[in-house]
Amino acid sequence: MAAYLIADVDVTDPAVFEEYKREVPATEARYGGKYLGRGGATKVLEGDWQPHRLVIVEFPDMDSLMAWYDSPEYARLKAIREKCATTRIIALEGVVGDG
């Protein structure tokens, strides 16, 4: 069952963030990750949430998502991201059938 990484990224240092943004897709791809949305325009339909840069990445399953997130190659990039952005991240399991 697919799993989705959903991140709301508030970039505080755009120059440093460029390195993260340039290098992270290759690490996700190694674990089957593919972008469904990344930094596009958003429109709040309900509530008071004011998203920053939203990212949605689909992985084959939760194990693949967590293997990527806990991987040594992502650890280095995560440290870079933590220096240049404030981020909220969740992992969401998809549904099977008509869930």
Side-chain angles (χ1 to χ4, degrees), residues 37-42 52-54:
R38 179 177 167 189
T42 60
H52 299 90
R53 175 186 171 80
L54 285 182

Side-chain angles (χ1 to χ4, degrees), residues 1 18 20 25 28 42-43 55 61 63 66 73 77 80 87 89 96 98:
M1 157 180 1
E18 282 301 314
Y20 174 84
E28 292 165 330
T42 60
K43 184 172 186 170
V55 178
D61 50 46
D63 288 342
M66 294 308 301
E73 60 265 51
L77 295 173
I80 292 169
T87 309
I89 300 174
V96 175
D98 60 2

